Amino acid sequence: MIKYASPGSPDDNSKKPVELMSDGHSWVQGRSKKDYEFIGGFFTLILLIEYKINQLLIGFNPEIESKMFGKKIDVFKDFLKVYEPEEGEDMQNYINLISPLREIQRIRNNMAHDISKPKFEYSDIKQTVSYVQQMRPDLSEHLNYCKDHDDKCIVVISIFSLVFRLQSYDHH
């Protein structure tokens, strides 16, 4: 059985949608400047990684720019399957990029598709942290100077972005 609400005054009826809209978005109103800086920093780094993937793979797949981030990673994997390494080049260095890329993609998707989650935890980027510590222990030491986990997250993703760009630099 449907139960209809009692009609209110025109003034009450006008206020109700505004109340419902603002009540439903209290999570946005509670964000700090640091939250917005975190979101902006993270998505800027994602765009830099995507840009490098596009540059690297445009010759391999001319439609790479129109693909979603996850599909770009799939194309990168396909590229690695057919790539002929130069003498002394270790393919494992490129293959090792896949796990952190997937981890970053998962976090990116979670944040992009649920805006009530403005952050992720340092424990969510274990693959990326491990990769960065292995590939650039010199830069990983800077994590000790981060004032909190949010800063550590952005620094790790920044280092990964740098390493990714350098790893793939010679092949553009």
Side-chain angles (χ1 to χ4, degrees):
M1 179 166 153
I2 298 174
K3 183 176 179 181
Y4 295 97
S6 302
S9 70
D11 191 42
D12 289 341
N13 291 342
S14 296
K15 289 179 185 175
K16 190 65 175 174
V18 172
E19 287 173 15
L20 290 172
M21 291 297 288
S22 65
D23 287 346
H25 300 302
S26 59
W27 48 269
V28 171
Q29 296 165 348
R31 287 188 181 164
S32 67
K33 178 181 177 190
K34 186 161 173 50
D35 292 337
Y36 287 110
E37 288 171 350
F38 182 91
I39 294 166
F42 177 71
F43 281 104
T44 298
L45 292 167
I46 294 296
L47 291 173
L48 288 171
I49 292 169
E50 281 195 72
Y51 178 76
K52 187 57 186 181
I53 291 173
N54 291 347
Q55 286 182 316
L56 176 66
L57 300 174
I58 193 78
F60 179 71
N61 184 331
E63 297 167 3
I64 191 74
E65 291 177 335
S66 66
K67 296 186 180 299
M68 301 295 287
F69 188 52
K71 295 295 181 192
K72 290 177 184 188
I73 297 169
D74 291 340
V75 172
F76 182 63
K77 282 176 63 176
D78 292 343
F79 171 76
L80 293 178
K81 290 176 186 173
V82 299
Y83 177 71
E84 303 268 339
E86 296 175 9
E87 187 176 323
E89 194 172 27
D90 186 1
M91 281 300 292
Q92 194 60 46
N93 288 337
Y94 306 122
I95 294 167
N96 289 346
L97 289 164
I98 301 298
S99 291
L101 282 169
R102 286 285 181 214
E103 185 174 68
I104 291 168
Q105 175 211 0
R106 180 182 42 78
I107 291 166
R108 177 237 171 260
N109 288 349
N110 288 343
M111 289 178 67
H113 298 289
D114 184 356
I115 63 171
S116 68
K117 296 180 183 181
K119 296 184 181 183
F120 55 91
E121 298 296 323
Y122 188 70
S123 61
D124 293 335
I125 55 172
K126 291 177 185 173
Q127 295 288 327
T128 308
V129 170
S130 176
Y131 179 86
V132 164
Q133 288 174 338
Q134 177 187 5
M135 296 302 291
R136 290 304 301 261
D138 57 323
L139 295 177
S140 297
E141 290 179 18
H142 293 282
L143 294 171
N144 296 326
Y145 302 106
C146 293
K147 56 185 171 198
D148 59 31
H149 286 287
D150 291 352
D151 287 348
K152 275 187 168 184
C153 289
I154 295 299
V155 169
V156 166
I157 304 293
S158 296
I159 295 169
F160 176 79
S161 176
L162 171 70
V163 172
F164 179 75
R165 292 180 64 80
L166 293 176
Q167 284 280 25
S168 56
Y169 180 74
D170 294 331
H171 305 293
H172 173 60

